[in-house]
Amino acid sequence: MWMVATGGGYVDVPRPTDSTLMSVGDRREFLVDFAQFNDGDTVYMTNLAVPHDMNYGSTNGKALMAFIVDHSLASENPVTTLPSTLVDYELTPGPVFMTREKNLMGSGGSGHVWTIDGTPMDMMVINDTVLVNTKERWVINNQTNKSHPFHIHKVQFQVVEYTEKVGVLDTVATYTHPDLPDELFGFKDVQLIRPGATLIFEARFDSFPSPLHPNQGYMYHCHILTHEDTSMMHQFVVVDSADFYTGLSAIPGTERLEVYPNPATNELYFKGSFEEAGTLTFYDLRGKILRREAIHARDSKAVSVQDLPRGVVIVELFLANKRYISKLSLY
Ligand SMILES: [Cu+2]
């Protein structure tokens, strides 16, 4: 058979194979040549991953589906040839605007929580803000001892690189576009990440709902139901390139951050104290991260802004369930 498409469209050329590695939510399309079989032959599609001591109780214990060949059923316009190429396929062009790194964490077991970056899913929290029409690179590290099918809404991504440990010696194997195994190739929105493996993909975030409303975040999560439910899932929004600050302001629950002095030169202070530790991020006006750090913001605490470029920047203080933002002039 030949793999001709993934969930996100055609691949470059028909790829001959007799098996493929699928995970939860994954989709592939194949062209299968039944002309080589005789009338009455039974052809099984089997699950090679069924453990030896288990089967589905049918004639062929690993069978998922049986095809009985009947040549009299041939369609009026049968497919008898394969094109040598299907589509012009290349990585999405243009520079990478932002790289994000995510860690899949947790170890399962009773009462245990699977997370992304140690942070459970919270409907009231937007975990990432993406600038519309930019290409991003996401690095997903599986730090657990289970495989996770990573799934993202909104975009079809392309795998740039996949690194995993193989064999009893944990030899590191790295696959890089375009020299990828079939199961890593093509536009897709879900990809299995083995224990200890790292998936790197690129995608262009080409549109967003406008205006933003509550509950309009897009999700990314493990596609195993018990993992996403407990709670290996985060959400992101895509915002307008015309004014990143307006986009941030539109995220539900966002409040104004008061900082002084403004304009500032060397140091910055917060008005008010915040109970929890959080993340402080400086963006430029297009939404590119200039600096990001963990912080416990207090009104007497100085933050150095000496290393930041002069001009207007955006300051964001992101606590566990609250986002505060401000524009800041530096001179
Ligand atoms: Cu999972």
Side-chain angles (χ1 to χ4, degrees):
M1 61 185 186
W2 292 265
M3 176 177 148
V4 294
T6 62
Y10 284 116
V11 293
D12 53 349
V13 296
R15 293 172 164 243
T17 184
D18 62 2
S19 68
T20 192
L21 177 70
M22 303 283 288
S23 61
V24 179
D26 214 342
R27 289 96 62 209
R28 310 272 161 75
E29 288 184 28
F30 296 88
L31 197 69
V32 184
D33 179 14
F34 287 101
Q36 61 188 301
F37 299 105
N38 297 316
D39 262 347
D41 280 356
T42 302
V43 180
Y44 292 101
M45 182 172 80
T46 60
N47 181 356
L48 298 176
V50 176
H52 289 304
D53 56 347
M54 290 172 63
N55 65 49
Y56 302 138
S58 59
T59 315
N60 180 330
K62 298 178 187 300
L64 292 169
M65 192 180 284
F67 302 88
I68 298 168
V69 178
D70 181 346
H71 290 304
S72 70
L73 297 176
S75 75
E76 285 180 20
N77 299 302
V79 176
T80 56
T81 58
L82 272 172
S84 57
T85 61
L86 296 164
V87 287
D88 283 335
Y89 182 95
E90 57 179 17
L91 283 184
T92 302
V96 172
F97 181 73
M98 179 98 83
T99 298
R100 295 174 202 265
E101 190 158 1
K102 309 288 175 193
N103 299 303
L104 306 182
M105 301 168 72
S107 58
S110 72
H112 199 93
V113 174
W114 298 99
T115 72
I116 296 171
D117 294 332
T119 312
M121 171 67 190
D122 185 335
M123 282 300 290
M124 299 312 293
V125 173
I126 301 293
N127 302 91
D128 296 271
T129 306
V130 176
L131 187 60
V132 73
N133 273 326
T134 58
K135 184 172 90 169
E136 295 206 350
R137 176 175 294 187
W138 287 40
V139 180
I140 316 294
N141 304 306
N142 182 355
Q143 298 183 344
T144 78
N145 59 4
K146 289 274 194 300
S147 294
H148 301 281
F150 181 87
H151 173 53
I152 187 168
H153 294 200
K154 162 88 186 129
V155 291
Q156 296 287 328
F157 62 76
Q158 292 168 294
V159 176
V160 175
E161 189 178 289
Y162 181 78
T163 302
E164 65 179 353
K165 292 171 186 159
V166 293
V168 289
L169 297 177
D170 278 354
T171 310
V172 173
T174 299
Y175 309 100
T176 307
H177 174 89
D179 301 317
L180 297 168
D182 291 347
E183 54 257 25
L184 291 167
F185 199 88
F187 283 97
K188 47 180 52 219
D189 57 34
V190 59
Q191 180 58 50
L192 189 73
I193 310 178
R194 297 230 190 237
T198 293
L199 171 73
I200 304 177
F201 68 76
E202 291 180 359
R204 183 173 293 282
F205 296 74
D206 61 356
S207 65
F208 64 99
S210 180
L212 281 174
H213 289 294
N215 306 324
Q216 278 190 332
Y218 297 103
M219 307 295 157
Y220 55 92
H221 57 89
C222 173
H223 220 311
I224 295 173
L225 193 60
T226 51
H227 293 187
E228 61 178 296
D229 277 359
T230 65
S231 65
M232 197 176 258
M233 176 155 73
H234 274 180
Q235 56 181 342
F236 68 97
V237 290
V238 182
V239 300
D240 195 344
S241 61
D243 190 340
F244 184 75
Y245 186 77
T246 302
L248 274 185
S249 309
I251 297 173
T254 300
E255 290 184 15
R256 180 166 298 277
L257 177 68
E258 291 195 63
V259 292
Y260 66 95
N262 191 357
T265 302
N266 296 324
E267 288 181 331
L268 190 68
Y269 294 86
F270 301 96
K271 202 167 271 183
S273 284
F274 299 87
E275 306 247 316
E276 306 152 291
T279 305
L280 182 70
T281 307
F282 294 94
Y283 300 92
D284 71 13
L285 289 177
R286 291 188 63 208
K288 193 164 186 90
I289 293 176
L290 300 169
R291 204 176 88 203
R292 172 167 278 178
E293 64 213 63
I295 191 171
H296 203 144
R298 306 234 179 248
D299 55 10
S300 58
K301 177 165 182 155
V303 173
S304 172
V305 290
Q306 260 177 314
D307 62 316
L308 295 170
R310 304 296 96 172
V312 177
V313 300
I314 296 165
V315 192
E316 177 200 59
L317 178 63
F318 187 50
L319 304 179
N321 57 5
K322 205 103 198 128
R323 171 181 272 106
Y324 300 88
I325 59 170
S326 174
K327 276 185 184 171
L328 170 69
S329 293
L330 296 171
Y331 73 100

